[in-house]
Amino acid sequence: MDIPALLTSAGMNIGISVGMFSLYSILRKQPLNVKVYFGQRIAQGRTRNENLCFERFVPSASWILKAWEATEEDIFACGGIDAVVFLRIIVFSIRIFAIATIVCTSFVLPLNYFGEGMEGVEDSTAMDLLTIGNVREGSRWLWAHCLSLYVVSASACTLLYYEYENIAGMRMEQVQRFPTKPSHFTVVVRGVPWSSVESYSESVGKFFSNYYASSYLSHQIVYRFGAVQQIMEDAEKMYKVMTTVPVMAAAPVDQCCDTSVDHRCGLCGTGSNSVKMIGAGSELARRNVDDELREKECEAALVFFRSRFDALLVSQTIQSADPMLWVTELAPEPLDVFWQNLCVPYNLLWIRKISVFIASVVFSVLFLLPTTFVQGLTKIQYLQNAFPILRRVSDRSYINLITGYLPSLVLTVFLTIVPPLMMLFSTLEGRVSRSTRKRSACVKVLIFMFWNVYFSNILSGSWIERMGKLTVTSPKDLATLLAELIPRQASFFMTYVMTSGWSGLSFELLQPVPLLGNWLFKCVLMREDDFIRPVTFAFHTEVTRVLLFGLLGFTFCILAPLILPFLLIYFCFAFLVYRNQIMNVYFVKYQTDGSYWTLAHNATIFSLILTQVVAGILFGMKKSSSASTATIPLIVCTALFNVFCKNRFLPLFRNRAAQDAIDMDRHDERLGKLQEIVENLPKAYNQFELCGDEMQVTTKQEEDAHSDKPKKSTSSESLEDLEIVNPENLITGDLPSPSASSSQLEHEDKIVSIN
């Protein structure tokens, strides 16, 4: 790709981004779009003078100022700890790539340009002159690249340690900040053995009463997901029988029917016989319901304990000599439980995981087709001999649009199917909580992005350049090939950063799908119900995009540093856009308590080591053995730093501290709160209330959040003066309450203006 194609892509993406940012600043002020851009917060208009009617249609940057001024406490109150951690990942990226941009563009980029190593190379382009490929073999200036690599690596490790320490402390404070969470006292038990004599519920009660008699409180068996609604309907019918039949029996016999006939129906016979038949019928109905409940029980249960320490102890020990039976783990929060997967037999999970792994590999292989097609668009000039018709396209004036902007757009469109598919795969794996399911999807998407967006594009692009003569027979050949090919793909990844990053942020801000759906419902179909439903933040999509761009930044920082300014611009705008979206748009229902940071840490370490390995091999190819040897200690130190961080901080993300659990138990016992907390545990995990009406739960939450309808705005009203209340004191557990009513929100102390 040459410079004109890169400039064409830059112009297209800048135009799209500026246009959508301006359009958003206008649309967010319109009364019709309040539920699109401000989620569950209820806005109230204030009457101003008529001049404000014109201001509603003038673009403004006030939302940027609001996003910048928001504190970390505001972010935590609106989005929870996961939102704070996500923004800390972006802040880390801004800091490290600001350092890399200053160092590499000041020292490395000029040396690359004046290296004169591309003289006489036929297929070199102007972009290649800005990469390390333009440095001559044996040049002493390669030491500047090595020194820059040391500076970037040392800065990244220092910032990683600082962030890891802060987030680990934040996670520990989370436990102490919300001590009454039901999950602290609850354990999920799976793999309950089947018995022909007793039900699953009886087996669970007998087991824990026997081995944990002093700490066991009660339990709740899990019913098959599809059977919950049927059970509720049966219970309703049973309730009607139990309440209406005795009333009929109490009525005078002569009012019911003719007493001269000896009736045997049990409802209208003689008084004594009727009562006896009613009692027998009620008992029979109870037995039928009990039998139906037993048939619909699953081999899983929620077990409640009298203290946090007891639940922690049970969750971290093996309960049986057979590790496939009585498997225990700490329960997720009530709104986080994924009831459908709790019904999956535990001994089938390994089959599901293997199947998902195979499906993921097959999908990754199939995705090589669109990747190769994208690289074919980028390198049309190399395909002209095989496809002569492409020579006509190369002579057209729009060739820069085809080779510059179109490839990154096509790749971005194809990648939109990846997050939903990986979420489906994570669901099939049998995750028992929605938060772990989303984190598992995030891991899958990240691996897919690293392979199919980064490595596949590099290899397929090089294969097209060499017309199928690309061969790799060993890991050493692959490493050498990457060192040679990565700099040549810098221009493509620059356009990808602009298309997926810059334009992607503008689409995230504008919310086109909810916006158009809301207009269709309100203006075309004239529907009174809302198209907008509460949506949670797509961490599995946005975290992976940020980490992928981090990989690009590290691997290209000394090889092709021109990409760094593009990345830095993306991260700066992402910081503002995501803060705005978290505070105004997205609904918090569950979270992972900051576990996305461990994923970010591992991805950053991988990117650093890959960069160092590729740089060391490239220094050797440039016949600078001293610079190549100098990268070996850097690789070793980075790996040791990773081991240190895992030993120092990772246990805090995997387990809970027994010391904190005991201290909180003693504190609650002194205050007399412990008994009250444990008495409310069964009510908190009532499966019938949480998922019995799952098809209607979203609508119910929205009705609760909009129980007080906002006033309709007139032509003299403007949203420029609207204020949104920050629901900080509505946090129960560790979340802002998703069903907080507007009457509750109006009594908050903290006010955040949205104009």
Side-chain angles (χ1 to χ4, degrees), residues 363-383:
F363 178 66
S364 297
V365 173
L366 294 178
F367 203 83
L368 292 175
L369 296 177
T371 300
T372 306
F373 173 72
V374 167
Q375 288 300 316
L377 293 176
T378 307
K379 304 180 184 301
I380 287 182
Q381 66 273 21
Y382 293 98
L383 300 176

Side-chain angles (χ1 to χ4, degrees), residues 7-54:
L7 294 178
T8 300
S9 178
M12 291 288 295
N13 286 289
I14 291 174
I16 292 174
S17 300
V18 172
M20 287 195 170
F21 275 55
S22 302
L23 185 61
Y24 166 76
S25 65
I26 296 175
L27 293 177
R28 70 190 300 272
K29 302 175 185 178
Q30 310 309 314
L32 182 63
N33 304 325
V34 170
K35 294 180 182 179
V36 178
Y37 296 119
F38 300 104
Q40 298 304 309
R41 303 183 178 192
I42 306 301
Q44 294 181 351
R46 294 181 182 177
T47 305
R48 284 190 174 184
N49 53 38
E50 296 181 357
N51 294 332
L52 289 178
C53 294
F54 175 74

Side-chain angles (χ1 to χ4, degrees), residues 521-699:
F521 263 54
K522 297 295 185 182
C523 301
V524 178
L525 301 179
M526 299 298 180
R527 298 276 294 273
E528 295 184 359
D529 55 333
D530 295 324
F531 174 80
I532 309 300
R533 294 291 183 266
V535 291
T536 57
F537 190 78
F539 287 103
H540 61 299
T541 301
E542 307 306 328
V543 171
T544 52
R545 179 182 287 115
V546 171
L547 297 180
L548 174 64
F549 288 165
L551 173 66
L552 297 178
F554 282 116
T555 53
F556 285 102
C557 63
I558 65 169
L559 305 183
L562 188 61
I563 197 176
L564 293 176
F566 295 91
L567 287 171
L568 190 59
I569 292 173
Y570 164 77
F571 286 123
C572 291
F573 275 102
F575 177 75
L576 298 173
V577 169
Y578 288 126
R579 285 170 73 93
N580 177 78
Q581 299 299 90
I582 288 170
M583 290 191 301
N584 296 324
V585 177
Y586 291 108
F587 169 83
V588 178
K589 184 178 180 181
Y590 51 84
Q591 51 188 338
T592 66
D593 290 341
S595 64
Y596 288 106
W597 173 255
T598 58
L599 182 62
H601 174 86
N602 294 335
T604 304
I605 292 296
F606 171 80
S607 303
L608 281 174
I609 293 179
L610 177 64
T611 302
Q612 295 159 3
V613 170
V614 170
I617 296 174
L618 195 54
F619 292 155
M621 294 173 61
K622 291 290 183 179
K623 297 181 179 180
S624 178
S625 58
S626 57
S628 179
T629 305
T631 59
I632 297 178
L634 189 60
I635 297 173
V636 174
C637 291
T638 304
L640 291 177
F641 168 77
N642 183 44
V643 173
F644 169 76
C645 287
K646 284 188 174 182
N647 292 331
R648 173 67 178 84
F649 301 115
L650 189 58
L652 299 176
F653 287 81
R654 291 181 174 176
N655 302 305
R656 294 176 184 173
Q659 179 182 4
D660 293 339
I662 295 173
D663 290 341
M664 287 190 292
D665 287 337
R666 291 174 177 174
H667 179 266
D668 290 339
E669 192 172 2
R670 283 197 306 267
L671 298 179
K673 296 181 179 179
L674 193 59
Q675 186 63 28
E676 180 183 355
I677 294 174
V678 297
E679 287 177 355
N680 294 326
L681 292 178
K683 186 185 301 183
Y685 283 97
N686 192 327
Q687 182 182 3
F688 299 96
E689 293 182 359
L690 292 173
C691 74
D693 296 326
E694 185 163 295
M695 299 300 294
Q696 303 175 0
V697 67
T698 303
T699 305

Side-chain angles (χ1 to χ4, degrees), residues 402-421:
I402 294 177
T403 60
Y405 177 69
L406 189 59
S408 58
L409 178 62
V410 172
L411 180 61
T412 302
V413 171
F414 274 112
L415 288 174
T416 56
I417 66 174
V418 176
L421 185 61

Side-chain angles (χ1 to χ4, degrees), residues 474-548:
S474 66
K476 182 179 178 181
D477 294 340
L478 179 61
T480 304
L481 191 63
L482 288 176
E484 179 185 356
L485 301 180
I486 286 177
R488 298 180 65 86
Q489 293 292 329
S491 57
F492 167 75
F493 286 116
M494 290 180 194
T495 62
Y496 179 74
V497 169
M498 289 184 286
T499 303
S500 178
W502 296 3
S503 298
L505 286 177
S506 63
F507 275 92
E508 166 64 30
L509 196 64
L510 192 62
Q511 297 285 306
V513 175
L515 181 67
L516 295 177
N518 184 60
W519 286 355
L520 178 65
F521 263 54
K522 297 295 185 182
C523 301
V524 178
L525 301 179
M526 299 298 180
R527 298 276 294 273
E528 295 184 359
D529 55 333
D530 295 324
F531 174 80
I532 309 300
R533 294 291 183 266
V535 291
T536 57
F537 190 78
F539 287 103
H540 61 299
T541 301
E542 307 306 328
V543 171
T544 52
R545 179 182 287 115
V546 171
L547 297 180
L548 174 64

Side-chain angles (χ1 to χ4, degrees), residues 176-203:
Q176 300 176 358
R177 189 171 183 175
F178 306 106
T180 60
K181 290 178 17 174
S183 60
H184 293 174
F185 300 84
T186 311
V187 171
V188 173
V189 181
R190 307 182 74 180
V192 179
W194 180 83
S195 174
S196 59
V197 179
E198 54 190 7
S199 65
Y200 285 120
S201 180
E202 293 171 347
S203 298

